[in-house]
Amino acid sequence: MAQISKDTKIGELMTIFPEAAPILMEIGMHCLGCPASQMETLEEAAMVHGIDGALLVEKINAAMQAAGK
């Protein structure tokens, strides 16, 4: 099973687990397709959107586990 970290880039996450898009959109990241967001890490995205990066990573990893990935 893949494991996501705070250093995982958004573009990489979307390749590994595109089902994470709603989780990211929930925090206000509505431009998942824009080139700048593709190179941003989850930690950077969380910081920009004012949320705890560790909680975001935990939520994505839980969703991946629930999906069997």
Side-chain angles (χ1 to χ4, degrees), residues 14-67:
M14 291 295 91
T15 299
I16 296 169
F17 188 58
E19 297 92 332
I23 296 169
L24 297 175
M25 293 184 79
E26 188 178 280
I27 67 163
M29 189 170 205
H30 299 286
C31 62
L32 293 176
C34 73
S37 73
Q38 299 301 300
M39 297 306 295
E40 192 172 48
T41 66
L42 287 172
E43 182 176 49
E44 292 166 339
M47 188 172 36
V48 167
H49 294 285
I51 67 160
D52 184 329
L55 290 176
L56 176 60
V57 168
E58 186 178 315
K59 189 171 189 175
I60 292 169
N61 279 320
M64 287 180 71
Q65 185 175 11

